[in-house]
Amino acid sequence: MTTTRNTPRPDDIAAPAEAGWLPVDWSGDAPFPGRWAGGVCLVAGPLLLGAGVLLRIPFPFFFPEQLAARVEHPGLITASYGAFAAGTVLLWPALAVLAARIGRRSPGLALWGGIFAVLGLFARTFHAGVDHLAFQLADREGARAATRFVGEAYGAFHIFSALNLAIMGGWLLLAVGAWRAGVLGPVRALALAATAALPLGVLKGATALSVVAVAGLCLAVVPLGITVLRDGPAPRRATTLRWTAAVTAAVVLMTLIGQVG
């Protein structure tokens, strides 16, 4: 007697685009994070980075001036660094979708470019935490004391310093892969490569080069995000309202709980 094992095929595993309470599509290029999360992040992540850069461009680039700007213009600097940090976090789902599309024809460049770029985002998130601590010190002790402390500690070793090269190299590998795989044309691939020029480190301001870098990122991936969002059926209005309400409630709840400590 022969026993036949029922092995599910990939097509059998993929869920429909609007299964369940919220719109989920577990198929396509990147089942995780999916079309909706990935597409939204491809659009929102670069735009938030751009907003963060533009808000701080009136102030000189180096950390003493950034700390002084925090004391003199706390709301503006908070908005700038907050938008930049949020954009950095939102870029990881965006990179997952981009790497998945590149991987169709250039799997090696997609793998290493994606890994390096995401590791670079971890480093930038670490820098954002140091920025926050320095700003709290400036608020309480003044810009001069904060500048002295940051200056004395600036060269201290931390594990994320090993990722500085990854921040730049990941974008370059993804740009080459996107061009070779036909995901981006030569102009937009070159614009993506320009992201590698975005300054990195603690308490960095913005320069003309920063504007060029984030503009290149927006040119390269925001249209791709719109394409990803349109690449499939749209959810019904009721589903969209549920999705919006659930995300809003989750953000508010997490914010409140996070403030408790």
Side-chain angles (χ1 to χ4, degrees):
M1 183 176 180
T2 303
T3 302
T4 302
R5 177 178 296 178
N6 294 323
T7 303
R9 297 173 300 173
D11 292 342
D12 298 328
I13 299 174
E18 204 170 333
W21 195 68
L22 297 176
V24 176
D25 187 357
W26 204 252
S27 60
D29 294 326
F32 179 80
R35 175 162 65 99
W36 296 105
V40 169
C41 290
L42 279 164
V43 174
L47 294 179
L48 283 169
L49 282 185
V53 166
L54 292 176
L55 287 173
R56 74 182 72 165
I57 202 168
F59 309 105
F61 179 77
F62 293 104
F63 72 86
E65 290 80 12
Q66 293 292 303
L67 290 168
R70 164 69 183 209
V71 174
E72 297 170 6
H73 307 278
L76 185 61
I77 294 299
T78 297
S80 170
Y81 279 80
F84 193 92
T88 297
V89 172
L90 290 182
L91 277 180
W92 78 258
L95 287 175
V97 175
L98 177 61
R101 293 204 164 201
I102 294 171
R104 293 173 178 175
R105 297 179 60 183
S106 296
L109 290 171
L111 173 65
W112 293 110
I115 288 175
F116 286 163
V118 171
L119 288 177
L121 296 180
F122 279 112
R124 288 195 184 277
T125 306
F126 171 80
H127 296 155
V130 178
D131 295 343
H132 176 74
L133 179 61
F135 287 148
Q136 299 311 303
L137 181 61
D139 290 343
R140 289 157 176 77
E141 303 295 334
R144 180 175 298 180
T147 299
R148 183 173 61 253
F149 174 78
V150 172
E152 292 173 353
Y154 209 87
F157 173 80
H158 58 81
I159 191 65
F160 289 99
S161 62
L163 301 179
N164 287 344
L165 185 61
I167 296 176
M168 298 177 288
W171 293 112
L172 296 176
L173 291 174
L174 287 174
V176 174
W179 172 65
R180 291 187 60 184
V183 176
L184 300 177
V187 174
R188 287 173 60 196
L190 186 61
L192 183 62
T195 310
L198 188 62
L200 57 98
V202 173
L203 293 172
K204 290 296 191 293
T207 64
L209 187 60
S210 306
V211 176
V212 170
V214 294
L217 179 63
C218 290
L219 175 62
V221 303
V222 170
L224 178 62
I226 296 172
T227 299
V228 170
L229 290 171
R230 291 178 174 175
D231 189 17
R236 293 188 296 269
R237 178 179 298 181
T239 304
T240 302
L241 292 175
R242 289 198 300 267
W243 183 79
T244 303
V247 171
T248 302
V251 170
V252 171
L253 181 62
M254 289 189 295
T255 300
L256 294 176
I257 294 176
Q259 290 301 308
V260 174

